[in-house]
């Protein structure tokens, strides 16, 4: 099995944001996302792999590939093309949480935005709260 790259590191989150955010808008949005995600999770930001800022952690197990391990609860990355928000479970029962979010593109289990002002921040908080709640409930199931 391939070694996982998305693991906690000791790299400084703010140094990463300074180096990686390729414009002032993305830099400011990244700092705002740190505040929002810290508020929702109650956790400090931590670098996961070389380019994701993650908050908290949970245990996961996949049913199809039998992979398991630790992953952050929510996170983001200020990538060149768009900001990747890892705040969505990808589950159909959570699809309704995207309804009033604003302007974004959806991946399998993340969403992509150009800038934070394109989305409804209250709806983003609700989405993150539901995602954190869901992942924490999965922790209990995965311990058994």
């Amino acid at each position: 099995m391939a070694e996982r790259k998305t693991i906690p590191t000791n790299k400084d989150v703010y140094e990463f944001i300074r180096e990686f955010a390729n414009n002032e808008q993305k830099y400011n949005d990244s700092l705002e996302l740190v505040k929002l995600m810290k508020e929702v999770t109650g956790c400090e930001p931590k670098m996961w792999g070389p380019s994701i800022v993650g908050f908290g952690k949970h245990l996961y197990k996949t049913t199809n590939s039998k992979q398991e391990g630790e992953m952050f609860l929510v996170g983001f990355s200020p990538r060149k093309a768009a900001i990747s928000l890892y705040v969505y479970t990808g589950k159909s029962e959570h699809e309704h949480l995207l309804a009033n979010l604003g302007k974004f593109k959806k991946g399998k289990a993340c969403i992509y935005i150009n800038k934070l002002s394109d989305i409804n921040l209250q709806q983003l908080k609700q989405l993150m709260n539901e995602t954190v709640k869901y992942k924490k409930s999965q922790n209990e199931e995965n311990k058994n």
Side-chain angles (χ1 to χ4, degrees):
M1 186 185 302
E3 190 176 321
R4 287 186 43 225
K5 294 178 184 165
T6 309
I7 57 173
T9 71
N10 290 323
K11 186 170 182 178
D12 182 83
V13 168
Y14 296 99
E15 184 179 313
F16 162 75
I17 291 171
R18 272 192 304 279
E19 292 172 4
F20 210 72
N22 60 351
N23 61 51
E24 188 175 349
Q25 177 74 51
K26 209 167 274 184
Y27 175 78
N28 291 333
D29 285 353
S30 295
L31 295 179
E32 186 63 27
L33 283 166
V34 167
K35 287 181 199 171
L36 282 171
M37 291 183 177
K38 189 174 173 181
E39 177 188 327
V40 168
T41 64
C43 300
E44 293 296 322
K46 181 116 180 116
M47 289 302 302
W48 284 73
S51 62
I52 298 174
V53 178
F55 295 78
K57 60 184 174 182
H58 74 101
L59 302 173
Y60 74 90
K61 285 184 186 179
T62 60
T63 52
N64 53 352
S65 66
K66 306 292 186 221
Q67 288 182 329
E68 59 182 71
E70 278 186 345
M71 187 57 74
F72 50 86
L73 291 167
V74 294
F76 74 95
S77 184
R79 302 196 189 281
K80 193 174 199 175
I83 298 173
S84 300
L85 297 176
Y86 304 97
V87 296
Y88 176 56
T89 64
K91 301 282 185 190
S92 59
E93 64 264 31
H94 297 131
E95 189 91 19
H96 70 279
L97 296 166
L98 301 174
N100 298 313
L101 189 58
K103 186 178 172 185
F104 67 93
K105 291 182 181 170
K106 183 174 76 162
K108 186 174 180 178
C110 69
I111 58 175
Y112 306 98
I113 62 170
N114 291 323
K115 56 188 183 292
L116 210 48
S117 60
D118 285 344
I119 59 172
N120 178 327
L121 295 183
Q122 284 306 111
Q123 192 66 28
L124 177 62
K125 283 183 186 180
Q126 183 179 354
L127 175 61
M128 288 191 291
N129 277 318
E130 289 299 317
T131 296
V132 167
K133 190 165 97 176
Y134 173 79
K135 289 181 176 180
K136 285 183 174 180
S137 75
Q138 294 301 297
N139 277 350
E140 293 307 312
E141 289 180 25
N142 291 335
K143 287 179 183 176
N144 300 327

